[in-house]
Amino acid sequence: MADTRDLVTGSALCALGAAMAIVARGFPTVGGMAYGPDLFPTIVAVGLVASGLGIAAEGLAAGRNRPDEDGGRRLGPLVGILAVIAFFALALDPLGFHIAAAISLLCSVRLFGGGMVAGTALALVGPVVLHAVFYSVLRVPLPWGLLLPVAW
Amino acid sequence: MELVTLLAAVFEPQLLLTILLCTLYGSFVGAMPGLTATMAVALLVPFTYFMDPVQAVAAIVATTTTAIFAGDISGALLRMPGTPASAAYVEDAHALARAGRPRTTLFVSLFAASIGGIIGVLLLASATPLLARIASRFSSDEAFWLATLGLSCAVFVGGASVPRNFASLFIGLAIASVGIDVAVGHPRFTFGINDLYDGISFIPAMIGLFAIAEILRNAETSDPTRLGQLSVEPLRTALAGAWGQIRQRKLGILRSGVGGTFIGALPGAGADIAAWIAYAVSRRLSKTPEKFGRGHYEGIVDGGTANNAAVAGAWTPALVFGIPGDSVTAIAIGVLLMKGLTPGPNIFSSDAMLVETLFGAFLVANVVMIVSGGLAIMAASRLLRVPRSMLMPSVLLLSMIGAYAIMGSVTAVWIVLGLGLLGYLMTLARIPIAPAVLGVVLGEVVEDNFMVSMMKAQGDLTGFFDRGTAAVLGVVTLAVWGLLLFRAAREVISGGGSRSRETEKT
């Protein structure tokens, strides 16, 4: 038996290192020089593979699955939050900052176990506060999207 | 005359206001379980983009100092350290709070933190100019070895096992190698995305690794313990009691302050390690070691002094060599680079005013902290009742919009998502995050100096040892590597499990 999580981690690092090294081999070298843009990524790739092997070896030596210190995991909210970030990235330009932010806030309040009323309140207040700070004070050009006709 | 100019710069109203606001912000974030001091700084960085360099650095300093102290608030009241730096003496603080002395305990740790911070700044201000004079003679060879030594030390003293620390470091260096390369200008690992030609933008990367990873961890665990009823003593009693404790323990404070500063100055060892070591030393030297862990002020005073002294100490290698002492100074170096300032020995001659104002701001922050921290202690029970379901979504939106504000492109949000997920997976795999941050910040420095030295030496590796100082640094680095290999072998044989607990929070 071995610690499966360490074996997975080790293999992932080895795969990442191998992929980096393969891509780096395609980088052009400057005439006559033995080293170019590929040298540093190759060193890093070797390091990734070596540490991956080290972690895998640790897992093998551990001989069992070490218990989780955090206790139970809830995958739903986790995936939900990732989806909220992806939604924000996709919706920011077409819908505009205010709408995208309000929807993101409402959804994430619900994902963290908050109620509809609290979520709606935060979704209404949050974007306005951030608008004041970033758009009005710091002059960051936040996209207006659908609200462009009523931009203030 | 110079002193007058300096005082005028330090006491400039806008700077003082920044420091005051940041100490309040630091108290709030530090007190919240699940929000660390590093996260407070990562969220602050988008704002520093719009400040002048002195103001930006002062903001970071003020936020960190108070956040490290404020971590004690939830530590004492909930037995959940607000930041990892408060973990060493959380048992004592909580036991005292439950015995009806929450405010006395917190004022003890506030005073200790402030004094520790001041000791740290005084040492920092007296040591760094001397070190900088030595460092100003360095060439690319020494710079390469020094950066490599810094990275190796980070691996050596970091919490987790050697392979895990190395994995983190190389992940950071891999992130740093994205973008146009320094030698011939070839785009590496950009996958045709134009926004990546300049490399993975630093601020979204920090926000992802620290803020989003932490939010994801919070999302998948259930809500922490709620604050129960707590009896609170009157303010006057608390202040008098706390001051009495501090006066009794002058020697311990001095020892932990000086020790904490030195530990903080080691690359990779931050406030949390300083607190653990100071607590252990305090217990060993104590006349009443059996009281430790059951509600004893001695450990709180020593640990609380050391962790704030370490905050100042971490700036030593950052300012003198451009090598961060912890994750916060790593972020600060990134901010300075963004402002066109390169931390390193030359900053002491080229931007002497900036450095001196920084020391001044550090001192002011440690004094102002007493007011902001005091307010936070008074409002503690209200502060801890802010529901997580409102707090985390707000932090999430602030993270995304902060990253977007810096890059002005949605790519920033994707970077935040990608690195947030990476940071989360790293904690899941028990890989610490701090070395990766050093890798991201130092990657370019290491590669630049490596390539310059390689070209000078025409690819002959012995060229790295040609100059006297470079040879010494090179040999020290190789010795550290030897020790690391030895420790790695020992850890692998023993299964590496014993130290994995510490990697959970960075």
Side-chain angles (χ1 to χ4, degrees):
Chain A
M1 265 307 280
D3 191 323
T4 343
R5 198 192 301 185
D6 282 357
L7 294 185
V8 173
T9 308
S11 324
L13 286 168
C14 289
L16 182 67
M20 251 187 104
I22 291 167
V23 176
R25 286 190 63 172
F27 294 159
T29 44
V30 192
M33 276 209 281
Y35 43 89
D38 61 324
L39 179 62
F40 197 69
T42 310
I43 296 175
V44 174
V46 171
L48 283 172
V49 173
S51 43
L53 291 175
I55 292 176
E58 265 184 26
L60 283 175
R64 64 189 163 82
N65 278 324
R66 276 164 291 184
D68 228 331
E69 282 130 13
D70 285 353
R73 297 187 179 284
R74 302 181 306 159
L75 209 58
L78 179 80
V79 176
I81 294 295
L82 291 172
V84 166
I85 304 176
F87 162 79
F88 188 77
L90 292 171
L92 188 59
D93 283 327
L95 295 186
F97 163 71
H98 305 81
I99 299 175
I103 297 174
S104 307
L105 276 175
L106 179 61
C107 294
S108 40
V109 168
R110 298 289 292 153
L111 286 166
F112 274 103
M116 237 2 230
V117 179
T120 315
L122 190 64
L124 288 176
V125 178
V128 178
V129 173
L130 285 179
H131 171 96
V133 174
F134 281 94
Y135 191 87
S136 307
V137 179
L138 298 177
R139 310 244 162 242
V140 175
L142 297 172
W144 282 96
L146 295 178
L147 292 184
L148 191 60
V150 292
W152 66 88
Chain B
M1 187 60 211
E2 219 174 69
L3 188 70
V4 177
T5 339
L6 178 64
L7 286 177
V10 173
F11 289 102
E12 198 243 334
Q14 209 180 344
L15 187 64
L16 284 181
L17 184 67
T18 310
I19 293 177
L20 179 67
L21 288 178
C22 286
T23 50
L24 288 170
Y25 164 71
S27 319
F28 178 75
V29 178
M32 292 295 166
L35 308 187
T36 62
T38 320
M39 181 172 174
V41 175
L43 288 177
L44 180 75
V45 170
F47 296 95
T48 61
Y49 187 75
F50 302 93
M51 300 175 183
D52 66 56
V54 172
Q55 214 184 348
V57 172
I60 294 177
V61 164
T63 304
T64 340
T65 343
T66 358
I68 294 287
F69 150 70
D72 296 354
I73 295 181
S74 55
L77 302 189
L78 294 177
R79 204 168 151 263
M80 290 178 66
T83 74
S86 305
Y89 45 89
V90 68
E91 295 297 341
D92 290 280
H94 186 61
L96 285 165
R98 283 187 45 170
R101 279 170 291 177
R103 283 183 177 173
T104 315
T105 314
L106 288 171
F107 273 111
V108 165
S109 89
L110 177 61
F111 293 149
S114 173
I115 299 170
I118 291 170
I119 295 176
V121 188
L122 294 179
L123 287 175
L124 174 73
S126 41
T128 44
L130 292 173
L131 288 170
R133 221 169 293 154
I134 303 170
S136 61
R137 291 196 288 269
F138 288 0
S139 75
S140 69
D141 296 348
E142 283 93 356
F144 165 73
W145 281 122
L146 212 59
T148 316
L149 184 62
L151 290 175
S152 316
C153 284
V155 174
F156 201 62
V157 295
S161 73
V162 174
R164 281 167 214 274
N165 277 325
F166 260 123
S168 173
L169 180 62
F170 283 113
I171 289 173
L173 291 173
I175 295 171
S177 67
V178 173
I180 302 265
D181 98 284
V182 285
V184 295
H186 181 74
R188 299 187 299 204
F189 312 110
T190 51
F191 308 105
I193 302 166
N194 288 342
D195 283 333
L196 290 183
Y197 275 46
D198 281 340
I200 290 191
S201 194
F202 172 73
I203 296 175
M206 290 307 108
I207 292 178
L209 282 174
F210 286 108
I212 300 296
E214 207 62 49
I215 293 173
L216 293 176
R217 271 161 51 89
N218 272 289
E220 50 121 50
T221 50
S222 43
D223 214 0
T225 11
R226 292 241 165 252
L227 180 65
Q229 279 304 315
L230 208 67
S231 62
V232 176
E233 70 275 45
L235 181 62
R236 190 186 290 258
T237 326
L239 280 172
W243 189 240
Q245 288 296 331
I246 294 289
R247 282 183 51 180
Q248 276 175 38
R249 310 191 192 282
K250 287 185 200 121
L251 201 66
I253 290 180
L254 191 66
R255 184 187 63 223
S256 311
V258 175
T261 313
F262 277 105
I263 296 165
L266 295 175
D272 44 346
I273 295 179
W276 281 108
I277 293 179
Y279 185 83
V281 171
S282 174
R283 182 181 209 160
R284 183 151 317 161
L285 298 179
S286 170
K287 288 187 192 109
T288 50
E290 72 283 354
K291 287 189 184 165
F292 276 66
R294 293 181 187 164
H296 194 33
Y297 286 111
E298 201 169 347
I300 301 178
V301 170
D302 286 351
T305 308
N307 58 21
N308 272 70
V311 170
W315 283 84
T316 316
L319 284 174
V320 179
F321 306 119
I323 296 171
D326 60 3
S327 338
V328 168
T329 42
I331 298 178
I333 287 180
V335 169
L336 286 175
L337 290 173
M338 202 168 67
K339 304 230 168 264
L341 293 166
T342 314
N346 297 329
I347 206 172
F348 285 82
S349 43
S350 62
D351 294 282
M353 196 62 194
L354 171 85
V355 178
E356 283 165 15
T357 319
L358 166 71
F359 296 150
F362 234 124
L363 272 179
V364 174
N366 274 295
V367 177
V368 174
M369 177 171 92
I370 295 188
V371 180
S372 319
L375 288 175
I377 294 174
M378 304 300 293
S381 49
R382 283 219 183 83
L383 223 58
L384 295 179
R385 287 207 167 87
V386 175
R388 202 173 61 153
S389 60
M390 301 294 269
L391 186 66
M392 289 297 161
S394 312
V395 174
L396 176 65
L397 188 61
L398 187 61
S399 309
M400 296 191 293
I401 215 66
Y404 177 85
I406 297 305
M407 275 183 84
S409 145
V410 182
T411 312
V413 184
W414 290 113
I415 294 179
V416 162
L417 174 63
L419 291 194
L421 186 59
L422 175 71
Y424 169 76
L425 290 175
M426 282 168 72
T427 22
L428 207 60
R430 305 186 191 104
I431 295 175
I433 292 177
V437 178
L438 303 198
V440 173
V441 173
L442 287 182
E444 211 181 313
V445 179
V446 174
E447 184 175 7
D448 281 1
N449 288 304
F450 180 65
M451 293 311 274
V452 169
S453 290
M454 277 296 264
M455 284 171 195
K456 270 198 306 205
Q458 309 256 312
D460 176 14
L461 283 176
T462 54
F464 283 89
F465 297 93
D466 275 354
R467 290 164 54 100
T469 328
V472 174
L473 286 172
V475 169
V476 173
T477 311
L478 293 182
V480 172
W481 287 359
L483 281 172
L484 281 173
L485 276 178
F486 175 69
R487 211 175 85 184
R490 226 177 41 183
E491 277 167 359
V492 167
I493 292 166
S494 70
S498 57
R499 292 171 63 87
S500 68
R501 183 178 293 273
E502 294 161 41
T503 66
E504 283 292 310
K505 285 181 177 169
T506 22

